[in-house]
Amino acid sequence: MVALSIDNLPASEEELDFSDLERRFAIPEQEETLENVIFVDNLPLVEEEKEAKLISYIMKTLVKFGKVKENGIHMPKDDSTGKVMSKGYMFIEYATAEQAQAAIRGLNGWKFDKSHILLANRFMDVEKYSEVDDVYRAPPMEAYVEREHLRSWLADDCGRDQFAMYAGQDLTVFWNEPELPAEVVHTRTNWTETHVQWSPLGSYMCTFHRQGLALWGGHSWKKLMRFVHQGVRVADFSPSERYLVTWASEPISLDAVNQYLGEGNEHQNPYTADDEGHTTCVWDAYTGSLLRSFPPIKAEDGKAAKASWSQFKWSPSERYLARMTPESSLAIYDVQTMGLVDKKAMKVPGIQDFAWCPHTIIDPRTNVAKPEMIAYWTPEEGNLPARVSLISVPSKTLVRTKNLFNVFTCALHWHPQGQMLCVRVQRYTKSRKSQYTNLEIFRTNERDVPVDVVELKDSAVIFEWEPVSENYRFAIVHSDDPNPPPMNASRMATATVKTSVSFYAFERQGKLVQKEGFKLLKTLGGKNTTNLKWSPQGRHIVLATLRTISACPLEFCDVDFDQSAAAKSGDAGDAITVLEAREHYGVTDLDWDPTGRFVVSSASSWRHTMENGYVLWDFKGQQLNKASVDRFKQLVWRPRPRSLLTEEQKREVRKNLKDYSKEFDEQDERKIHAADAELMSYRRRRISEWVAWREQIEAKLQAETEEALSNGYKLPAMSDNEDFVVDELVEEVIEEKEEIIN
């Protein structure tokens, strides 16, 4: 290009030479690809007249994944039969390859209707699959690698249970030893960063880290699976441990995950652009694959609603996962497809809470399992009363409903066996200056679902079903405080209010019972109880005052202790007895072991720093072991899977329990003697080492003395009458004064 000057300026703009600039800033030609085209198969066969209607219907779903190009849908036709019909598949062209990939994830496996489940693939893969050899050739056989059994701890000869303890930076798994110090199974430093959690059946131990969570198990405690979810706070397994839901306060960021995985490992990122900004993830616990992610719930003003972990809940069959949008709707997802049941969420204006029936109910008339059920409640609005509703899933048909008036709030409590639902209704008095409680109990295992009402004069702040019982017993903590603390399913917020504990049981109609229903058995008054903990096997319960400094009592009760007194008086409440009343200063948590034989009370440094550690009790309230642990944080028992014994076999075991007890007592005695023998052996070994060391020193001293004497050294003469002065210190307490400082 010739340099321009004032003398050689071109006559017009058209004569300017821009060739160098065009070469420098030219946009490279993009190679034409078909990466943005997808192939969708297994569509319904429709006539040419209905083609537009089918495309219009499926277009509503296609636009969710991106922009479909103009005339970007092609549906081949077949006229070989004399009638123009579609071939059951179509080609869809999106604006970008990323949008096409998102559509494949959304459409593949989508249940279009009862007879058609769509299959979606990239168009570029069609040629690859067409080149597959028609002759099948078996892949090379991989060497079998035996995996460790995830329930190997159940084979312990002594039938012991395990627990995990998190203290300082150390996480340790122990065998529980009632009469001896706990035996260490495995320990690591920095094994977890926040807390530890067991899966529902005890197969996995879950540790939480800033970049996600990990599952551990087996005899060697290897890492079994890793889930990348940055900032994860909580996790919830499905009942059979097949799936896992995680929630994080931080939204998902693809760049942050890729940076954590490192350069070259981007293919390990489980997320796509569609997951950006989401906070909740559903995983396959077996394969570690991400099934779906969910964005944070938005309030009516468009801002993120207050986070609540109870928004996601599993059905007992783990076939369904339900999610509540407060005040708006209830969405039920089919876990196999992660799509909405009936393709839409239930509109439930004002919904406050919901709960799945925790157990599959068998119809006694047909001996067939009933559909799964969900209970939810909505508050009063204008002239409309509050309402509790039960629906069946997946049909979403209404099973039972009941209107409630003057309602402040409600809490839903399913019986663990699923045959009873208690709705704890907090109501206003007529003056609306105070509150009281009614218990509306739905008998869901009976026809038409009858409802029993238990009226209380004061406020019930805690409700707990007995896990195993034939007469559906429950215990409540109630108070006459006109403004009780907020309802919570497990504990009160404060222990400053005097409370009472009452026990109820269901009585069926008979010779001595004219009207069946729930009857008050016994009330224990003058308590400061803030927590109720039933044994997993029922019958025994601990009344505890947790997370207070002023009073820390633990009362161990047996609701079937004095059966002779109950038989004599004809009142089942006379059998309820307080076995022991104990104290554990600063107690913050209380947990039964899976067998119901032992209970641990602990003082966590997460709450305070005074006398941190734990105490092991038996079910009668006798202290078995006490350990003060520096920076103690958490102790959680390892759950046990459901028993494989039939009810008949369990009755046989109870019948011969005395014979089994003798054998177990002998094992415990041998173990204690073995521990004593080991201690005695250790002491003898240390004494022998000390005696040997002393003989060695005496021999050395004797040799040095003889050598000194041989060199002319003379020992100082000592008189037989020489006196020795011995100083002896004696302490005497003159006065002792005790003063209590508040």
Side-chain angles (χ1 to χ4, degrees):
M1 181 178 179
V2 180
L4 296 177
S5 66
I6 192 67
D7 298 324
N8 61 353
L9 287 175
S12 64
E13 185 178 345
E14 289 75 9
E15 297 180 9
L16 287 174
D17 185 6
F18 296 102
S19 58
D20 59 337
L21 296 177
E22 291 175 351
R23 286 194 300 271
R24 181 178 178 183
F25 297 103
I27 299 176
E29 294 185 2
Q30 295 184 354
E31 182 182 356
E32 288 289 338
T33 67
L34 297 176
E35 295 290 342
N36 60 330
V37 180
I38 67 173
F39 171 73
V40 180
D41 196 5
N42 205 28
L43 286 166
L45 302 179
V46 296
E47 300 175 359
E48 187 176 15
E49 297 78 13
K50 297 182 179 180
E51 177 183 338
K53 185 177 181 180
L54 175 62
I55 293 177
S56 175
Y57 177 78
I58 199 172
M59 193 69 175
K60 297 177 182 178
T61 302
L62 297 179
V63 295
K64 295 179 181 179
F65 310 110
K67 182 181 179 181
V68 179
K69 286 189 174 182
E70 187 176 357
N71 299 324
I73 297 180
H74 176 63
M75 184 181 297
K77 301 176 184 61
D78 181 16
D79 57 357
S80 60
T81 61
K83 193 174 184 180
V84 180
M85 299 283 292
S86 66
K87 290 187 175 183
Y89 59 87
M90 66 166 51
F91 301 94
I92 305 167
E93 185 177 4
Y94 276 93
T96 64
E98 290 76 13
Q99 295 175 0
Q101 193 65 30
I104 291 174
R105 288 193 302 270
L107 294 175
N108 192 40
W110 178 43
K111 191 174 182 181
F112 185 82
D113 56 29
K114 294 182 179 179
S115 305
H116 298 85
I117 298 178
L118 303 189
L119 301 173
N121 291 281
R122 295 191 313 150
F123 178 77
M124 300 296 292
D125 291 341
V126 175
E127 183 178 354
K128 179 179 68 175
Y129 294 137
S130 66
E131 297 176 355
V132 175
D133 197 341
D134 294 336
V135 180
Y136 172 74
R137 290 180 175 83
M141 183 68 70
E142 297 182 1
Y144 172 71
V145 179
E146 185 176 0
R147 296 183 61 184
E148 296 181 359
H149 202 295
L150 297 181
R151 298 181 179 177
S152 58
W153 93 97
L154 296 174
D156 180 58
D157 294 336
C158 300
R160 297 173 296 179
D161 281 290
Q162 291 184 348
F163 63 85
M165 185 177 72
Y166 184 31
Q169 300 301 319
D170 298 330
L171 176 58
T172 308
V173 180
F174 292 92
W175 286 113
N176 179 41
E177 293 284 359
E179 304 293 340
L180 301 170
E183 178 184 338
V184 175
V185 177
H186 196 82
T187 185
R188 291 185 190 179
T189 301
N190 297 323
W191 201 353
T192 186
E193 295 181 14
T194 57
H195 63 285
V196 63
Q197 175 181 331
W198 294 102
S199 60
L201 305 181
S203 302
Y204 308 106
M205 185 177 72
C206 186
T207 57
F208 293 78
H209 311 270
R210 194 177 66 86
Q211 301 295 348
L213 55 85
L215 303 185
W216 310 79
H219 180 72
S220 60
W221 294 97
K222 294 180 179 178
K223 183 191 293 183
L224 304 175
M225 196 62 63
R226 179 188 67 168
F227 303 93
V228 180
H229 192 178
Q230 295 182 326
V232 63
R233 294 290 186 88
V234 287
D236 182 29
F237 284 87
S238 61
S240 297
E241 305 177 338
R242 183 69 173 84
Y243 305 103
L244 176 68
V245 177
T246 58
W247 175 82
S249 57
E250 305 172 9
I252 294 171
S253 170
L254 294 181
D255 294 338
V257 175
N258 288 332
Q259 184 178 2
Y260 162 67
L261 294 174
E263 187 176 355
N265 296 321
E266 291 83 358
H267 64 282
Q268 298 180 9
N269 191 335
Y271 305 109
T272 64
D274 296 334
D275 302 314
E276 189 88 24
H278 292 186
T279 55
T280 304
C281 297
V282 183
W283 309 84
D284 187 320
Y286 290 177
T287 63
S289 58
L290 176 66
L291 302 181
R292 180 168 177 171
S293 65
F294 293 88
I297 293 178
K298 300 292 185 181
E300 294 181 356
D301 57 2
K303 299 181 180 179
K306 184 178 180 181
S308 174
W309 181 237
S310 61
Q311 291 170 354
F312 286 86
K313 294 178 183 178
W314 291 98
S315 70
S317 67
E318 67 183 21
R319 171 70 186 275
Y320 304 103
L321 175 65
R323 182 195 198 197
M324 180 187 72
T325 302
E327 307 282 347
S328 176
S329 63
L330 179 63
I332 304 175
Y333 297 89
D334 189 327
V335 180
Q336 294 181 354
T337 62
M338 286 312 300
L340 285 167
V341 174
D342 294 337
K343 303 178 185 178
K344 60 182 179 181
M346 290 179 57
K347 296 296 182 183
V348 188
I351 184 171
Q352 299 295 307
D353 192 16
F354 77 100
W356 285 94
C357 176
H359 198 276
T360 303
I361 301 176
I362 305 298
D363 191 332
R365 296 171 297 173
T366 62
N367 201 30
V368 177
K370 293 182 178 181
E372 299 182 87
M373 285 192 296
I374 284 183
Y376 63 87
W377 78 276
T378 56
E380 295 178 88
E381 184 176 355
N383 295 327
L384 297 177
R387 178 174 296 178
V388 176
S389 302
L390 275 73
I391 62 171
S392 63
V393 178
S395 65
K396 300 182 183 178
T397 56
L398 189 64
V399 177
R400 184 71 159 85
T401 185
K402 186 172 183 182
N403 295 335
L404 305 171
F405 300 91
N406 298 325
V407 174
F408 172 67
T409 187
C410 293
L412 306 175
H413 305 276
W414 279 99
H415 189 278
Q417 297 172 354
Q419 297 179 345
M420 295 278 181
L421 168 66
C422 176
V423 181
R424 182 160 48 105
V425 185
Q426 195 74 7
R427 298 178 184 270
Y428 288 112
T429 58
K430 292 183 179 180
S431 64
R432 301 184 73 88
K433 294 182 179 179
S434 60
Q435 301 172 14
Y436 67 99
T437 301
N438 276 4
L439 304 178
E440 308 276 345
I441 303 177
F442 295 71
R443 289 187 254 163
T444 55
N445 62 329
E446 298 183 20
R447 187 174 183 178
D448 298 329
V449 190
V451 180
D452 297 299
V453 180
V454 178
E455 297 184 355
L456 305 176
K457 296 181 180 180
D458 47 12
S459 298
V461 290
I462 299 175
F463 179 100
E464 290 291 340
W465 287 105
E466 183 181 9
V468 181
S469 66
E470 296 180 355
N471 53 357
Y472 304 108
R473 283 183 297 216
F474 63 83
I476 61 172
V477 176
H478 51 102
S479 167
D480 57 3
D481 183 11
N483 297 304
M487 279 193 172
N488 187 288
S490 58
R491 58 176 58 89
M492 293 172 58
T494 177
T496 59
V497 179
K498 284 294 181 181
T499 60
S500 300
V501 179
S502 295
F503 297 88
Y504 289 80
F506 183 74
E507 290 189 344
R508 297 196 177 275
Q509 189 172 1
K511 294 181 179 180
L512 301 178
V513 181
Q514 296 181 354
K515 183 180 179 181
E516 65 182 13
F518 284 87
K519 175 190 173 184
L520 174 64
L521 299 179
K522 191 171 186 176
T523 297
L524 305 176
K527 306 292 182 183
N528 289 319
T529 303
T530 64
N531 191 282
L532 297 175
K533 282 286 186 178
W534 284 99
S535 163
Q537 306 303 323
R539 179 172 174 174
H540 298 95
I541 185 173
V542 179
L543 319 181
T545 304
L546 303 183
R547 302 177 184 180
T548 63
I549 304 300
S550 57
C552 308
L554 303 175
E555 294 184 85
F556 295 79
C557 301
D558 185 345
V559 295
D560 290 331
F561 180 77
D562 199 347
Q563 291 290 348
S564 59
K568 185 176 180 180
S569 64
D571 186 355
D574 291 340
I576 300 175
T577 306
V578 178
L579 303 178
E580 287 288 348
R582 300 291 185 178
E583 287 273 347
H584 182 181
Y585 178 74
V587 59
T588 59
D589 299 281
L590 191 73
D591 292 290
W592 285 89
D593 83 317
T595 66
R597 295 183 297 162
F598 309 105
V599 61
V600 162
S601 59
S602 56
S604 173
S605 60
W606 285 335
R607 297 286 177 175
H608 60 77
T609 58
M610 297 175 290
E611 300 185 19
N612 299 132
Y614 69 92
V615 179
L616 179 68
W617 315 84
D618 67 5
F619 64 92
K620 303 185 299 294
Q622 301 298 316
Q623 182 176 316
L624 303 176
N625 208 337
K626 183 176 182 179
S628 296
V629 183
D630 184 37
R631 294 183 296 165
F632 172 87
K633 298 176 182 177
Q634 185 184 16
L635 187 150
V636 283
W637 291 98
R638 187 172 193 174
R640 283 179 172 264
R642 289 177 286 273
S643 174
L644 300 178
L645 299 179
T646 63
E647 290 300 324
E648 184 178 351
Q649 290 173 325
K650 291 179 181 179
R651 285 194 293 269
E652 188 67 22
V653 170
R654 295 190 193 99
K655 182 179 178 181
N656 301 318
L657 191 58
K658 291 185 179 180
D659 298 334
Y660 293 121
S661 297
K662 293 180 182 178
E663 181 180 349
F664 296 145
D665 291 341
E666 291 175 359
Q667 291 181 3
D668 293 341
E669 191 174 352
R670 287 195 297 268
K671 188 184 298 184
I672 293 174
H673 289 334
D676 292 341
E678 183 178 356
L679 180 61
M680 293 300 296
S681 176
Y682 171 77
R683 290 176 176 175
R684 292 192 188 99
R685 185 172 67 253
R686 295 304 302 268
I687 291 175
S688 299
E689 292 173 356
W690 181 81
V691 170
W693 174 82
R694 180 175 178 176
E695 291 176 351
Q696 180 183 359
I697 295 301
E698 288 179 348
K700 183 178 179 181
L701 181 61
Q702 181 67 26
E704 291 176 353
T705 302
E706 292 177 357
E707 182 181 358
L709 292 175
S710 63
N711 293 333
Y713 179 77
K714 294 183 179 180
L715 294 175
M718 297 181 62
S719 173
D720 294 340
N721 298 326
E722 187 173 353
D723 295 332
F724 293 91
V725 178
V726 178
D727 293 333
E728 182 177 358
L729 299 177
V730 179
E731 294 184 355
E732 181 179 357
V733 178
I734 300 175
E735 183 181 0
E736 183 176 352
K737 182 179 181 182
E738 182 177 352
E739 183 178 355
I740 299 176
I741 301 176
N742 293 328

